């Protein structure tokens, strides 16, 4: 690579790009950790994209109609931090750059959406950003259809590396984007032929251009260091009605001794080599310095979109007040005021009708009353629509022929669906929910963790939640997945026991602002247990007394979901024997743990023996409630699973694994005996 | 589809294929659940493959050099059960077919490798079978290089549906197979254009032929109901040096009223429609019947490979005794006898040298002594070789130029790696291990669950196991992953505290026969704490007293991995204050739980206050050991994580989150106070 030639060919461009490169080198050297090579390789593409195309205003990071920029190869975080600093975002000062990767700084090792407003999505786990971007682009299409191009009309740009493209989730993403013809999605592939282990060829020879074409993408290949070629490719990509991939042939760690090597991927900290690189760039800036003129040019870029933004605001003001309020409401993620009354009315009706329904069917019933009053919901399923009960009448199919449709056929792509839902929620203006079998939480898991970390209120509709699904057998029967969800910070797991609790669970999910919700729902029918209408949301307490002991309270049965029915049946037998038995329904351990100690003690007083009942592993958080929070409370037992399930009709499996009222009764007797 | 024409064109073939179809219809109708459509659609391909190509002997399902057949779209399990019954495998009687999906039967909803010898791998979670197959094919290549083509020379055949190909893991698998030029891997795509939600087009328009080509595959398209075309395609696929994909255009539920519809995908149970389908097939067999002549033809197919197998056995007998013994040893998955002595000698040396090493580096040191004496190990990493420390000197790179190489560059494909490792282990003859960051357990999770369910002893080398990895921040810092692994049945999680424990952990992993092991290893350096050599494997007990209290025992500190050092430091302070403090190292909760109660009580006696220390969520199983197994034991506290981590140098993070000796001391004082 002849750096001098690059400099001479485009001197203005060169210095702007050099600023990204030198800030990256300086920050990584100071932190003694981080990834230098990627920002150095992609600086030219970034400079052209931000300099000439990206519609943004550094003074208004929240402008709803800005273009979205996603750094899927998030380890190259100094690229985005450099750009934010250079273009004048207030939140990234030179001090933040100096404190790259240090405690309390906003310039974390990987870009975190909860630390910086201008970081659209947290990236780092590879492939997630490109998969999020599908959701961003879908949100834009959906909102454009709803609010018109005057209010919503922007692009989603993504940088992705070989790591992103090797991760399987990228295939789910690009196939979905291709099917959906997301024409305003433009991905730049940082094609540098290097991974951490060495030359890419060690592990991969995929023809990425052909692969994207096969998925229905518009594809171009360019020299990633030629600003005019990059510019032309972006123009062509914008003109395409398909999603676009621009294959940018780049040199990792351009201009550094480690260029084009796997060493260039990581932290370049050698002071002499850093100096030599700056010399090659033709700049004499000190550490964390950028020539004033260059900084000024970048700040002009940061202000380039200001007029667009102001014009947009004027257009927004022209809308009716009602329309403005609705737009603001959905972007604020606020539920409509009438949601609460709707849920209450639904609960009242159900407590009277007392249907016997699977909670997956109850969930659909709730959606049937909620979807019509919440036009921001965008539902879907990973090819299990009829099983997850996620589709309600009149939603319409979201696809290239109908962007007003509110139901997405995600295909057999649990991971891609979850990542797209993160993107949908992060974009703002839509509230996504999506379904699959609870066991396939496994497939969606990397994106579900990011829902929690990024604090996005997506709703996972996870049906077929235990051995209760029956014949499909252990590959489909979750036993450890409640433990997984409950152990994950900022993830709300709710396993309702009947239609009323399902409605309350949905109300919590739909009003959540910063926490994803996992609704854990049965395949099998369950009776209505909440037969007495309460307007309060009892699920919000996490656990509550569903049936009080008659006579002296000798036993407390604690159960969730489908096992609450078993607890109630056991109670009946025990009471008949004169053993006073309380049943506690515990749809959400997380919410119960959030209650004050007085409430927790009221629901689970010391003294009576305790039996926990859940068709899952005890490791899913049971010890705390059974052994007692202070470890001195009660004799206890757990009725649940201790191994993987099996293939047979559901009722036989409950018998086989001893999850029966009879066994619960026997356990209580033994504990009292 | 003109069924009559198909019948007339190939009458013999037709009846054999019809037997698969009618048995499927009968079994699903009797079970009132299951998937009829796929076996009915792929019966012709299966008949040609089993009838003319698959090298197998129904009387010898364990023959090591048999061709492997993998049903990746495992919901179509009746296809494989029909074939096993028809060809005369003893384990699948007509009674088993009648008991399809019933309690105690071997014919489970999805094919389970632990129920039937002839089921090579458990399938059902989509995409897993095709990803396993890459490991099967790699094992064959590796063993052929090691033992010669006389002992190892077979194909791996896979049926995969649209679901398999939509799952991201399929991309990881086909890209890896393409890169590795696995010429003996042949995949049949059941191209029926239908998924559960409806026409495939709802969710996907991928050009699969182009996609496989882009990954370096040999690709053909055929009419999946034309036996001669299928036969010719298989011949061509066998001749190719690349992995082969045969695009079989098929009709789901062929000949049934539900043909070519999404209804045809699931359970077809209507008796009249079943009769009509049989009529269309031109057969008058009653339920679970097959014409004697047809059954006989199938049994001849089942015996077709007998001569091959006998000849193979003769060749095997010609090998030296030593070579035979070695072949048998590796296929039995037995560690070499000298492993135990090697580990002991290593431990002795380490306890004297007392290095300060990250356990990831300790792990490499162990592999350096183990790999030379265990030629069956096949290591690898998902592009983190230098970080996972998985490569040892002289292993050589496994690729198309060197099948004797024992190190696989899996690429940035954690999921594909884990699934391939399952295939490697299931094939037999090799013992795979592979590394990534512990946090990316998330990506590998669906395959890791199957390692556990299928009882395959693969080893996951999971490094960077906590906030101790530092600056990379919360996306890379596991906090809930110990909980995930520990909650999963038949998964052995070991988090060693120093080099000696790491060696013991590896010994357990390498001698495991039916359980996968997750080694949870640090990035940061740790001192040697096991300074007194014990020849016994203490990790095998799960937990043990590392340092006894001096004087009256008032406190017990329980810690794992990198936090044992913190416990030891806290103990020093506490002892100096006269507080007798025991330190329990607990590298594996699962192994400790397996010990008898007397041992558990000895290690964790009632009375002293307890503090658990682990840089992870308390939900990872701590309540049981802290609250006490009987719930009445002790005052306790936990020092660990309660949220996601952050980006900063590791030492600062330990301070920030209070995981310090000082805090442990303070907790003990408060509990005693």
């Amino acid at each position: 690579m002849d750096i001098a030639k690059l400099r001479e060919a485009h001197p203005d461009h060169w210095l702007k790009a050099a600023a990204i490169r030198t800030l990256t080198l300086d920050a990584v050297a100071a932190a003694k950790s981080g990834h230098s090579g990627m920002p150095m390789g992609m600086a030219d593409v970034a400079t052209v994209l931000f300099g000439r195309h990206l519609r943004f205003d550094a003074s208004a990071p929240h402008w709803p109609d800005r273009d979205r920029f996603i750094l899927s190869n998030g380890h190259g975080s100094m690229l985005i931090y450099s750009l934010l600093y250079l273009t004048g975002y207030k939140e990234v000062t030179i001090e933040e750059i100096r404190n790259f990767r240090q405690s309390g700084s906003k310039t974390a090792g990987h870009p975190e959406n909860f630390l910086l407003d201008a970081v659209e999505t947290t990236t780092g786990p590879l492939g997630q950003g490109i998969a999020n971007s599908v959701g961003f682009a879908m949100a834009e299409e959906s909102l454009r259809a709803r609010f018109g191009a005057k209010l919503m009309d922007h692009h989603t740009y993504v940088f992705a590396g070989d790591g992103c493209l090797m991760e399987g989730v990228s295939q789910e993403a690009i196939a979905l984007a291709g099917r959906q013809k997301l024409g305003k999605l433009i991905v730049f592939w940082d094609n540098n032929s290097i991974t951490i282990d060495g030359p890419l060829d060690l592990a991969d020879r995929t023809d990425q251009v052909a692969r994207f074409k096969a998925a229905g993408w518009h594809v171009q290949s360019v020299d990633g260091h030629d600003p005019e070629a990059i510019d032309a490719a972006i123009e062509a990509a914008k003109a395409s009605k398909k999603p676009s991939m621009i294959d940018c042939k780049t040199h990792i760690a351009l201009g550094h001794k480690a260029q084009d090597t796997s060493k260039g991927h990581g932290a370049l900290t050698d002071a002499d080599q850093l100096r030599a690189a700056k010399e090659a760039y033709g700049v004499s800036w000190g550490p964390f310095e950028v020539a004033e003129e260059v900084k000024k040019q970048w700040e002009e870029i940061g202000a380039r979109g200001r007029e667009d933004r102001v014009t947009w605001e004027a257009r927004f003001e022209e809308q009716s007040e009602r329309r403005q309020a609705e737009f603001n409401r959905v972007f604020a993620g606020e539920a409509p005021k009438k949601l609460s009354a709707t849920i209450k009315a639904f609960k009242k009706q159900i407590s009277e009708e007392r249907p016997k329904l699977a909670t997956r069917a109850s969930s659909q019933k709730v959606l049937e009353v909620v979807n019509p009053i919440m036009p921001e919901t965008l539902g879907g399923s990973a090819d299990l629509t009829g099983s997850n009960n996620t589709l309600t009448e009149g939603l319409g199919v979201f696809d290239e022929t109908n962007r007003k449709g509110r139901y997405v056929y995600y295909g057999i792509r649990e991971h891609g669906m979850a990542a797209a839902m993160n993107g949908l929620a992060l974009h703002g203006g839509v509230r996504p929910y999506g379904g699959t079998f609870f066991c396939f939480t496994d497939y969606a898991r990397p994106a579900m963790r990011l829902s929690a970390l990024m604090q996005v209120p997506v709703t996972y509709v996870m049906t077929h939640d235990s051995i209760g699904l029956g014949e499909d057998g252990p590959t489909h029967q979750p036993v450890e997945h409640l433990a997984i969800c409950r152990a994950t910070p900022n993830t709300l797991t709710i396993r309702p026991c009947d239609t009323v609790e399902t409605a309350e669970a949905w109300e919590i999910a739909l009003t959540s602002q910063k926490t994803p919700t996992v609704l854990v729902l049965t395949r099998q029918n369950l009776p209505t247990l909440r037969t007495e209408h309460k307007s309060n949301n009892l699920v919000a307490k996490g656990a509550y007394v569903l049936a009080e002991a008659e006579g002296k309270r000798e036993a407390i049965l604690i159960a969730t979901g489908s096992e609450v029915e078993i607890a109630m049946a056991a109670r009946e037998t025990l009471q008949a024997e004169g053993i006073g038995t309380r049943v506690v329904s515990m749809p959400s351990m997380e919410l119960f743990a959030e209650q004050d100690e007085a409430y927790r003690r009221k629901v689970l007083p010391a003294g009576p023996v305790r039996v926990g009942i859940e068709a899952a592993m005890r490791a899913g958080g049971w010890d705390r409630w059974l052994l007692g929070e202070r470890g001195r409370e009660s004799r206890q037992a757990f009725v649940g699973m201790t191994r993987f399930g099996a293939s047979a009709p559901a009722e036989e499996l409950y018998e086989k694994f001893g999850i029966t009222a009879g066994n619960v009764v026997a356990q209580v007797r033994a504990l009292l005996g």
Side-chain angles (χ1 to χ4, degrees), chain A:
Chain A
M1 207 67 214
D2 190 337
I3 302 285
K5 267 198 186 157
L6 290 176
R7 282 164 51 187
E8 284 156 26
H10 306 279
D12 273 7
H13 163 87
W14 176 261
L15 286 176
K16 288 204 290 288
I20 297 171
R21 295 187 169 108
T22 59
L23 286 171
T24 295
L25 282 165
D26 291 339
V28 171
K32 297 190 194 67
S33 85
H35 296 80
S36 317
M38 180 270 164
M40 295 165 71
M42 285 294 278
D44 295 304
V45 179
T47 300
V48 175
L49 175 63
F50 276 66
R52 311 192 202 176
H53 295 275
L54 193 80
R55 198 166 103 113
F56 74 110
D57 174 357
S59 71
H62 296 288
W63 173 28
D65 201 24
R66 68 193 179 278
D67 283 344
R68 303 311 198 259
F69 173 70
I70 293 167
L71 189 73
S72 190
N73 37 5
H75 52 276
S77 55
M78 268 310 301
L79 179 81
I80 205 162
Y81 301 146
S82 302
L83 287 162
L84 296 180
Y85 162 67
L86 288 167
T87 54
Y89 280 86
K90 285 220 178 76
E91 58 188 353
V92 181
T93 61
I94 195 70
E95 277 314 302
E96 287 289 346
I97 302 283
R98 283 179 186 276
N99 284 321
F100 177 53
R101 293 184 150 233
Q102 301 312 300
S103 195
S105 79
K106 293 174 183 168
T107 49
H110 292 84
E112 310 285 9
N113 74 308
F114 50 88
L115 293 178
L116 285 172
D117 287 337
V119 169
E120 304 285 356
T121 179
T122 289
T123 50
L126 293 170
Q128 295 298 323
I130 189 171
N132 295 157
S133 74
V134 177
F136 276 93
M138 283 165 59
E140 194 270 346
E141 296 280 0
S142 173
L143 292 164
R144 184 147 37 89
R146 185 172 176 211
F147 290 103
K150 282 187 180 176
L151 294 193
M152 196 54 49
D153 190 8
H154 64 258
H155 285 85
T156 302
Y157 295 100
V158 184
F159 280 11
D162 289 302
C164 295
L165 300 194
M166 275 198 261
E167 291 289 358
V169 69
S170 68
Q171 182 62 26
E172 301 184 22
I174 70 172
L176 181 58
R179 168 62 191 85
Q180 284 284 351
K181 284 206 172 23
L182 299 173
K184 304 189 104 182
L185 174 60
I186 299 174
V187 172
F188 300 84
W189 169 33
D190 180 12
N191 178 7
N192 60 29
S193 306
I194 291 292
T195 72
I196 291 178
D197 274 356
L200 174 66
D201 184 70
L202 280 176
D204 194 49
R205 286 181 188 160
T206 305
D207 179 343
Q208 299 290 3
V209 166
R211 178 186 164 212
F212 275 78
K213 270 189 196 156
W217 285 55
H218 172 261
V219 189
Q220 305 168 78
S221 290
V222 298
D223 173 351
H225 303 297
D226 176 347
E228 299 315 320
I230 297 161
D231 183 57
I234 297 174
E235 286 296 349
K238 282 170 155 177
S240 165
K241 293 206 151 67
K242 299 175 178 179
S244 268
M245 191 273 261
I246 304 176
D247 159 18
C248 306
K249 184 69 205 143
T250 62
H251 295 271
I252 196 166
L254 183 90
H256 188 279
K257 194 182 169 210
Q259 181 185 312
D260 299 326
T261 70
S262 64
K263 199 175 172 312
H265 178 277
L268 305 176
T269 53
D270 181 276
D272 290 338
Q273 292 176 5
L274 192 157
R275 261 193 302 277
K278 284 195 181 177
E279 202 165 300
Y281 298 160
V283 304
S284 54
W285 309 332
F288 299 102
E289 281 177 20
V290 172
E292 206 170 310
E293 179 56 27
V294 176
K295 179 74 166 84
K296 211 178 129 213
Q297 286 175 29
W298 269 115
E299 283 171 8
E300 281 163 13
I301 288 169
R304 186 171 47 75
R306 202 151 298 166
E307 197 182 321
D308 260 4
R309 193 254 303 170
V310 170
T311 316
W312 181 91
E313 283 167 356
R315 285 200 302 275
F316 184 76
E317 296 295 330
E318 286 164 14
Q319 307 290 314
S320 71
E321 263 184 47
R322 195 173 154 171
R323 203 168 166 76
Q324 287 185 38
E326 177 66 2
F327 187 96
N328 287 334
R329 180 185 72 76
V330 296
F331 266 87
E334 282 163 13
K337 287 207 176 64
K338 59 186 157 188
L339 176 65
S340 171
T342 303
I343 294 283
K344 279 193 181 84
F346 176 85
K347 281 165 56 181
K348 186 157 191 300
Q349 186 192 337
I350 290 295
S351 61
E352 286 157 10
E353 289 176 3
R354 304 180 184 181
K356 192 173 165 96
L357 282 177
T359 46
R360 61 176 173 142
S362 302
S363 169
Q364 185 170 24
K365 267 186 154 340
V366 179
L367 287 172
E368 276 162 5
V369 299
V370 160
N371 275 334
I373 65 163
M374 290 187 77
E376 67 268 38
T377 59
L378 195 70
S381 166
D383 198 48
L384 289 168
T385 295
S387 299
N388 302 144
N389 298 62
T390 33
L391 179 60
T392 61
E393 183 137 358
L395 275 192
V397 175
F398 177 87
D399 69 10
E400 81 283 13
T401 67
N402 178 26
R403 295 302 190 197
K404 288 194 170 168
R406 285 166 56 199
Y407 194 78
V408 183
Y409 286 107
Y410 282 105
I412 300 138
R413 306 182 180 112
E414 301 81 8
H415 195 177
M417 174 177 76
M421 289 205 293
N422 284 341
L424 284 160
L426 286 162
H427 180 281
V430 293
R431 186 174 276 270
Y433 69 83
T436 184
F437 288 164
F438 188 38
C439 211
F440 302 149
T441 297
D442 285 351
Y443 281 83
R445 168 77 200 152
M448 289 177 76
R449 182 178 207 254
L450 282 165
S451 307
L453 179 62
M454 296 196 288
Q455 304 168 16
V456 288
V458 302
T459 305
Y460 293 98
V461 182
M462 299 310 214
T463 70
H464 296 59
D465 71 346
S466 76
I467 53 166
L469 65 85
E471 293 89 341
D472 273 341
T475 52
H476 287 51
Q477 290 163 355
V479 296
E480 72 274 42
H481 300 80
L482 284 163
I484 292 174
C485 294
R486 289 173 184 155
T488 306
N490 195 41
T491 297
L492 182 56
T493 316
I494 312 184
R495 187 166 187 249
C497 73
D498 72 357
T499 311
V500 174
E501 279 196 1
T502 305
E504 292 178 341
W506 264 112
E507 184 177 25
I508 294 165
L510 292 170
T511 52
S512 172
Q513 284 275 3
K514 294 202 156 191
T515 301
T517 306
V518 184
L519 301 179
V520 182
L521 307 171
T522 68
R523 174 186 187 227
Q524 71 271 32
N525 283 340
L526 301 176
T528 299
L529 298 173
R530 287 277 298 280
T531 51
E532 188 188 337
H533 175 61
K534 308 251 182 194
S535 75
N536 282 354
N537 187 322
L538 298 186
V539 169
K541 293 279 193 185
Y544 61 91
V545 178
L546 178 66
E548 189 47 286
E550 292 164 23
K552 187 186 164 206
R553 189 165 55 220
E554 296 185 75
I556 302 179
L557 308 181
I558 314 167
T560 78
S562 43
E563 284 70 71
V564 179
E565 176 188 12
I566 293 171
M568 292 295 276
R571 176 182 176 278
E572 200 163 333
T573 306
L574 289 165
Q575 286 289 164
E577 295 180 12
I579 301 172
T581 304
R582 167 185 283 192
V583 170
V584 170
S585 176
M586 191 181 271
S588 172
M589 289 190 185
E590 297 96 323
L591 291 174
F592 187 54
E594 280 174 16
Q595 306 307 309
D596 60 29
E597 192 177 347
Y599 180 76
R600 297 202 308 267
R601 300 241 133 226
K602 211 174 105 187
V603 174
L604 295 180
V609 302
R610 295 182 187 179
V611 178
I613 316 161
E614 184 169 77
M617 300 293 281
R618 180 171 174 143
W622 282 94
D623 283 327
R624 175 168 178 186
W625 314 117
L626 295 179
L627 296 175
E629 291 191 66
R630 289 193 292 210
R632 292 177 167 278
E633 290 177 5
S634 53
R635 284 158 294 156
Q636 48 74 35
F638 178 68
V639 171
M641 297 294 291
T642 57
R643 44 155 284 188
F644 290 115
S647 170
E651 307 74 38
E652 292 178 33
L653 291 175
Y654 270 87
E655 285 290 336
K656 177 186 171 82
F657 294 112
I659 307 173
T660 61
N663 188 25
V664 173
V665 168
Q667 297 287 337
V668 170
R669 283 195 203 118
L671 289 169
L672 290 173

